């Protein structure tokens, strides 16, 4: 039996919180549709509320954790309003505007938005422990790859970022970051194997993450132009959730096009569609 | 290569003592076989083989330096 809940809020984030509270489920237990992204307006005037719909499958999935997203609202109000842009909303992988029925990436468990999890602030010591664990895990791998990179650790936006620099680190990155992503995935598993809380680890090599993001944004813009020019849908190559998110976000402000994710992991890909174009059908 | 796979697998499982990796070279290709406690199979394979895939990616990168292909069998 499916149950449908709709709720609205200032941002998609808040709307989701409200909807989850209403439905009494966590985000990962329901399918999410973003009905309206909403906008902040200027100085709080003329803003439009975000609306979301939750589809809860009540087929005996027991674990109901109505409080899962509550922690979020304890964030200082300043953090929410400081930026002119809807900061919280931008953290999420949605992109659809008004009344569309597309099920966003948020519906995929693997792409559960970061901010949906209760934000746990790690102490310096915990950050050190996590990064030490990660480095211990990576040591035998680096030895085999014959690299001995320098590392630095940062803690930013709930992520423990371990960056490496040195000579000949290409082997750590691999084609399109394949090796780096594999290492990062394994490190996350290892670091969180025993702990109750989930520490999100990010591995970076010689600023690869930033330059990849730049590449993706440039690609997204170029392909958006192509979609507008030709009126055809443009399919990008398969990407991981993080990379798709970068693409979606980069085209969010471009109101000539709409972006959707299609296909199943790991072949899920972003499709850019010109609004009102030939391939734009609902 | 064997040691590396052993180290990775042992880091991921609940029973590191039962992890066994055997190595055999055939026609210039290194065949590795990873065996773990039956309860730990999921820990080295993962949902839709995601962990296995990650281990193989790392192995592929590491074996580039040796110039030898590595093939990893799990089970």
């Amino acid at each position: 039996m499916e149950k449908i809940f709709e709720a609205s809020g200032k941002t998609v984030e808040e709307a989701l919180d409200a909807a989850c509270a209403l439905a009494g489920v966590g985000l990962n237990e329901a399918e999410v549709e973003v009905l309206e992204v909403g906008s902040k307006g200027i100085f709080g005037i003329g803003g439009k509320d975000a609306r979301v719909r939750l589809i809860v499958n009540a087929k005996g999935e027991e674990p109901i954790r109505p409080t899962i997203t509550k922690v979020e609202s304890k964030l200082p109000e300043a953090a929410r309003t400081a930026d002119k842009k809807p900061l919280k909303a931008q953290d999420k992988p949605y992109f659809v505007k008004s009344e569309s029925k597309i099920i966003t990436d948020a519906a995929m468990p693997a792409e559960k938005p970061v901010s949906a999890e209760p934000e746990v602030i790690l102490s310096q010591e915990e950050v050190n422990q996590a990064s030490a664990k990660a480095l211990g895990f990576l040591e035998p791998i680096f030895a085999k790859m014959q690299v001995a990179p320098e590392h630095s650790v940062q803690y930013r936006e709930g992520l423990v970022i371990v960056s490496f620099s040195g000579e000949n680190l290409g082997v750590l990155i691999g084609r399109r970051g394949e090796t780096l992503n594999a290492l990062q995935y394994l490190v996350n598993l290892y670091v969180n194997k025993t702990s109750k809380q989930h520490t999100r680890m990010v591995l970076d090599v010689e600023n690869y993450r930033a330059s990849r993001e730049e590449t993706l944004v440039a690609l997204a813009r170029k392909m958006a132009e192509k979609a507008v020019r030709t009126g055809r849908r443009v399919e990008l190559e398969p990407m991981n959730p993080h990379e798709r998110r970068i693409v979606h976000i980069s085209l969010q402000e471009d109101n000539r096009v709409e972006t959707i994710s299609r296909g199943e992991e790991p072949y899920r890909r972003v499709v850019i569609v010109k609004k009102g174009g030939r391939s734009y059908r609902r | 290569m064997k040691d590396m796979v052993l180290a990775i697998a042992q880091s991921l499982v609940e029973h590191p003592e039962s992890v066994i990796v055997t190595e055999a070279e055939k026609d210039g290709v290194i065949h590795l076989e990873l065996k773990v406690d039956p309860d730990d199979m999921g820990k080295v394979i993962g949902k839709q083989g995601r962990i296995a895939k990650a281990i193989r990616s790392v192995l592929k990168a590491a074996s580039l330096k040796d110039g030898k292909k590595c093939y990893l069998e799990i089970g």
Side-chain angles (χ1 to χ4, degrees), chain A residues 93-218:
Chain A
Y94 64 77
F95 20 90
V96 254
K97 277 216 172 125
S98 69
E99 294 315 317
S100 70
K101 289 279 165 11
I102 296 161
I103 296 187
T104 71
D105 279 347
M108 300 284 299
E111 303 178 56
K112 205 162 47 127
V114 185
S115 42
E117 285 172 24
E119 191 97 9
V120 185
I121 311 290
L122 298 180
S123 67
Q124 186 59 43
E125 197 185 333
E126 287 170 311
V127 171
N128 291 345
Q129 272 174 7
S131 56
K133 260 183 120 171
L135 293 165
F137 176 85
L138 292 170
E139 198 185 78
I141 301 172
F142 286 177
K144 268 291 164 198
M145 292 180 172
Q146 298 169 29
V147 291
E150 305 265 314
H151 73 268
S152 64
V153 180
Q154 294 177 62
Y155 181 55
R156 194 150 39 88
E157 292 159 28
L159 305 171
V160 178
I161 305 169
V162 185
S163 311
F164 296 99
S165 60
E167 300 279 297
N168 300 321
L169 297 185
V171 65
L172 283 185
I173 299 174
R175 186 180 168 272
R176 300 255 197 273
E178 183 195 336
T179 310
L180 189 58
N181 289 335
L183 287 171
Q184 179 174 307
Y185 179 59
L186 294 174
V187 160
N188 271 289
L189 288 175
Y190 177 59
V191 170
N192 293 301
K193 192 174 89 170
T194 47
S195 59
K196 275 161 270 140
Q197 69 196 37
H198 189 82
T199 309
R200 292 164 54 89
M201 306 291 297
V202 173
L203 301 185
D204 196 2
V205 171
E206 295 279 0
N207 272 326
Y208 172 78
R209 300 281 179 208
S211 68
R212 176 78 180 142
E213 179 163 348
E214 243 170 65
T215 311
L216 285 171
V217 170

Side-chain angles (χ1 to χ4, degrees), chain B residues 3-75:
Chain B
D3 304 339
M4 190 188 80
V5 174
L6 187 72
I8 295 176
Q10 285 183 329
S11 315
L12 299 176
V13 299
E14 301 291 327
H15 309 283
E17 68 287 348
S18 3
V19 178
I20 303 167
V21 182
T22 51
E23 189 174 63
E25 194 171 332
K26 222 189 325 177
D27 307 324
V29 179
I30 298 173
H31 288 252
L32 294 169
E33 192 175 0
L34 169 64
K35 280 196 196 300
V36 298
D37 187 285
D39 290 346
D40 281 331
M41 281 305 273
K43 302 260 175 188
V44 290
I45 294 176
K47 262 187 219 151
Q48 310 199 327
R50 206 172 154 199
I51 301 174
K53 199 177 154 215
I55 298 175
R56 290 194 176 109
S57 295
V58 173
L59 185 63
K60 192 166 80 188
S63 63
L64 276 177
K65 291 280 172 184
D66 287 7
K68 273 181 193 164
K69 274 203 173 162
C70 279
Y71 180 80
L72 177 67
E73 179 95 31
I74 299 174

